[in-house]
Amino acid sequence: MKIVVAIKQVPARDSLWRIASSGKWIEEADLSYEINEADAYALEAGLQLKEAHGGEVVALCAGPARVTQTIREALAKGADRAIHVEEDDPGALDPLATARLLAAALHSEAPDLVLTGLQSDDLGYGQTGAILAELLGLPHATIVMQVEKQDGGIRVKRELEDGWFQHVEMPLPALIAIQSGIGKLRYATLMGIKKAKTKQVRRVMAADLGVAGPEGAPAASVTIERLYLPERTKRAQLFEGNPREAAAQLVEKLRFEARVI
Amino acid sequence: MAPRHLEKVYAVEHALLEDYTPDAYTIALRQLLELAKPSIVLFPHTYQVLDFLPKLAASLGKVAVSGAISHRVDHGQLVLARQLFQGKVNADARFAGDAPHFASLQAGAYRADQLGPEGTPPGPEGTPESAPHPAAAVEKFAPRISPGDIRTRPLELFRESRQSLDLGAAEIIVSVGRGIKEAANIPLIEKLAEALGAELGASRPICDAGWLPMERQVGSSGQTVAPKMYMAIGISGAIQHLVGMKASRTVVAINKDPDAPIFEVADYGIVGDLFEVVPALVEALQRSK
């Protein structure tokens, strides 16, 4: 089975967020980056399928030069090769623009299965997977907790609301958007890290794919007007000082003011 | 639904829509859009919508503004706010180009109970909006779908195991989030829950990681609770979590980030390192007994 896993590099969760002077993106200086959490699970699902059924795992990642680090980690964990779509301004991309790049980069690949994370930790649209399926003409399922290969296709377990689940069957090729938390993530081994250095990374310039850049890009249907830090309307009574004092004050309030303990 | 200030309701009916599939829903809605020619199409931001809306919008060359939390009208144009970076940054988005435009609205961002029953004037008396609204006409729409259009085969719905734990019955809930860092630190929170006589809850990532069972998850994909006291420890307060607990009578938050959204819904808070604050709290509770 030839499996493509689309991964994204996002700012680390505990970053200090500042708005860039353009007002349209965040200040990227001083940020550290990591693989998007749901994408790490998508990669894990892909690697497990390959281990069980053979084949190849190709990591696909769009972004500026810094994403090389995330690609290298995916290779170290066991991806066989990677495709890097070089796009210098990740803030300018909406999920349709991203999916168009990814679809174009997969043109010559013909994968049996495309895996994505459900949602990115940065833009958080939760749409790239389903859009990519539409562009590639593939059936899809999102919020998937489990993927099983069966005769003539796959069977996936979807998470629904309120604790319900559903199995869905579909033929291959297909696209599956993976929910965080399926299985345990593996670490890269020393051997894996060593091997990653010799694995192939195909670089494609976004502008060469004919779907991005000022000439090739179809007009965006949504424009981001501005980014801003949300105003916090705090109503909490905050207790500061050393933890011991703060805790004592809180207990006092809970007992005599809120009367909840 | 029909009697609430709506002009018309389309009931989209087809045997192939009985079991949800993204293919059939997309086909049916595209046909409805051709007929109804709306300028804006709004959806609830649910798991099901998230499964088919991106496909529907993309098939028309559009991006949906997913998870909108509020809106305003500026120079006759709709501006939607949505959250980025797990709620740490907001963005204002505007539609461009031709209709239709698509958005999904985050649960909890709008209140259904602010919508009056049939005939209730939405505007102040004397304004055009205050005229009583007649019940909307319901028009049936039968899309053309054939079995061959549907590529996925949905099977029966099921639950993992009977949820044995009803957090809704708990008077006090102590919930733990990412701030706890690793499974080995969970006993720290258990000790606090014990000191308070509380049930233990958690935010999604904790249950995803298997550090606490799924049945303890509070939020849009877990349980919705409204206890006498809800204590959120190391939970930043993503909207999906807030939806599940913001009706609690008293909310206490302990978090190292003073800008964490959880402090917006908290009544009391301690900004600090939970690994210092929680043991101090356990001690203070034991002392005051």
Side-chain angles (χ1 to χ4, degrees), chain A residues 88 121 148 168 177 230:
Chain A
D88 284 339
D121 293 334
E148 292 165 78
V168 178

Side-chain angles (χ1 to χ4, degrees), chain B residues 131-228:
Chain B
H133 283 244
V138 178
E139 188 175 313
K140 286 193 178 168
F141 176 70
R144 299 172 309 280
I145 313 170
S146 67
D149 295 332
I150 300 172
R151 296 167 294 178
T152 58
R153 197 162 84 87
L155 306 174
E156 291 293 295
L157 305 188
F158 63 96
R159 279 184 187 276
E160 288 289 65
S161 53
R162 289 279 335 130
Q163 273 195 354
S164 50
L165 178 74
D166 180 13
L167 283 179
E171 291 228 313
I172 302 180
I173 296 174
V174 172
S175 265
V176 59
R178 269 182 204 280
I180 197 69
K181 294 208 174 93
E182 47 185 301
N185 296 328
I186 298 278
L188 186 68
I189 309 299
E190 284 170 340
K191 217 179 266 177
L192 176 61
E194 199 182 313
L196 283 163
E199 273 294 350
L200 201 56
S203 67
R204 169 141 206 156
I206 300 302
C207 300
D208 276 350
W211 299 351
L212 282 172
M214 283 288 176
E215 61 183 10
R216 296 204 178 264
Q217 187 185 321
V218 174
S220 58
S221 50
Q223 301 197 42
T224 300
V225 299
K228 208 166 73 176

Side-chain angles (χ1 to χ4, degrees), chain A residues 13 121-122 125 127 134 140 142 159 165 167 169 179 221 223 225 228 232 237 239 244 255 257, chain B residues 51 55 63-64 66 85-86 90 92 94 96 153 155 158 178 204 259 264 267-269 283 288:
Chain A
R13 275 177 181 273
D121 293 334
D122 55 355
Y125 280 100
Q127 298 190 40
E134 173 68 16
H140 80 267
T142 60
E159 182 186 345
F165 296 91
H167 283 120
E169 294 176 343
Q179 170 72 297
S221 65
T223 55
E225 192 164 78
Y228 52 98
R232 301 285 180 219
Q237 280 188 54
F239 305 109
R244 214 182 136 85
R255 180 145 306 188
E257 192 176 88
Chain B
D51 193 59
K55 173 181 166 68
V63 174
S66 46
F85 304 100
Q86 310 107 59
N90 281 8
D92 281 352
R94 220 181 258 263
R153 197 162 84 87
L155 306 174
F158 63 96
R178 269 182 204 280
R204 169 141 206 156
D259 289 326
E264 284 184 70
D267 300 284
Y268 303 103
E283 205 179 295
S288 78

Side-chain angles (χ1 to χ4, degrees), chain A residues 10-172:
Chain A
V10 296
R13 275 177 181 273
D14 53 0
S15 298
L16 191 64
W17 309 103
R18 287 173 300 143
I19 308 297
S21 56
S22 70
K24 307 235 179 203
W25 189 235
I26 49 159
E27 188 54 70
E28 291 210 26
D30 308 331
L31 287 184
S32 60
Y33 294 87
E34 60 194 15
I35 185 170
N36 182 51
E37 187 173 63
D39 302 351
Y41 286 99
L43 176 63
E44 180 61 40
L47 294 173
Q48 286 182 17
L49 282 167
K50 180 195 145 180
E51 282 158 5
H53 306 286
E56 181 188 32
V57 171
V58 183
L60 170 64
C61 186
R66 62 169 156 77
V67 308
T68 313
Q69 175 61 28
T70 294
I71 290 173
R72 203 155 287 289
E73 283 166 22
L75 295 173
K77 283 187 174 187
D80 298 285
R81 59 189 174 89
I83 306 169
H84 176 185
V85 181
E86 288 202 48
E87 161 57 56
D88 284 339
D89 186 5
L93 293 181
D94 64 31
L96 179 56
T98 304
R100 281 177 174 140
L101 289 178
L102 299 180
L106 288 182
H107 189 68
S108 56
E109 291 287 346
D112 298 304
L113 183 63
V114 180
L115 300 175
T116 69
L118 174 64
Q119 190 158 21
S120 64
D121 293 334
D122 55 355
L123 298 182
Y125 280 100
Q127 298 190 40
T128 307
I131 295 174
L132 185 57
E134 173 68 16
L135 298 183
L136 294 171
L138 301 179
H140 80 267
T142 60
I143 323 181
V144 166
M145 311 287 295
Q146 202 175 54
V147 185
E148 292 165 78
K149 174 105 174 55
Q150 56 181 27
D151 279 348
I154 49 171
R155 186 168 96 130
V156 302
K157 179 176 147 194
R158 288 194 67 213
E159 182 186 345
L160 310 179
E161 262 118 356
D162 297 322
W164 288 92
F165 296 91
Q166 183 177 34
H167 283 120
V168 178
E169 294 176 343
M170 68 191 77
L172 292 175

Side-chain angles (χ1 to χ4, degrees), chain A residues 68-80 186-201:
Chain A
T68 313
Q69 175 61 28
T70 294
I71 290 173
R72 203 155 287 289
E73 283 166 22
L75 295 173
K77 283 187 174 187
D80 298 285
R186 70 190 62 196
Y187 290 99
T189 59
L190 265 176
M191 180 64 90
I193 294 167
K194 215 180 247 176
K195 273 193 189 161
K197 291 179 183 147
T198 61
K199 287 177 176 171
Q200 182 211 345
V201 179

